[in-house]
Amino acid sequence: MPARIYQRPKNAMQSGKALLDQWILDFDPAEAKKPDPLMGWAGSGDTQGQVTLKFGSQAEAQAYAATHGIAATVHATPPRRLKLQAYADNFR
């Protein structure tokens, strides 16, 4: 059961930086989702897709995956680039 480890991205709609230091371990879907014939909702029999584990650091997440035999890949967080701009630049 492959998994991925990544750091929570910043929400573009909010300026706060809460929970950005958490590292998430998510399992890859084992089967494709299919629509329910009665309601039309998308679902599958894969229960690992509902599991999300949160850790305080990348090392803790990797240690958990190694301890439990989970093949996890780490997705590095891209560096944040600030676009510094003055209000007067809008009128150039």
Side-chain angles (χ1 to χ4, degrees):
M1 72 184 132
R4 64 185 181 131
I5 298 172
Y6 61 96
Q7 196 169 16
R8 183 185 300 269
K10 182 181 175 301
N11 187 353
M13 302 301 292
Q14 296 177 349
S15 62
K17 295 181 182 173
L19 305 177
L20 291 182
D21 55 345
Q22 286 185 348
W23 285 83
I24 311 291
L25 187 139
D26 276 344
F27 292 96
D28 293 338
E31 63 183 54
K33 292 188 177 185
K34 46 192 176 279
D36 180 51
L38 180 63
M39 298 297 289
W41 295 339
S44 69
D46 180 29
T47 58
Q48 289 290 349
Q50 301 171 4
V51 177
T52 301
L53 301 173
K54 299 176 180 101
F55 298 94
S57 68
Q58 178 183 354
E60 291 177 15
Q62 287 178 324
Y64 179 86
T67 303
H68 294 283
I70 300 169
T73 57
V74 177
H75 296 276
T77 305
R80 293 189 198 127
R81 292 183 299 253
L82 297 176
K83 182 180 177 185
L84 300 176
Q85 182 176 352
Y87 179 70
D89 292 342
N90 294 333
F91 302 103
R92 287 189 184 178

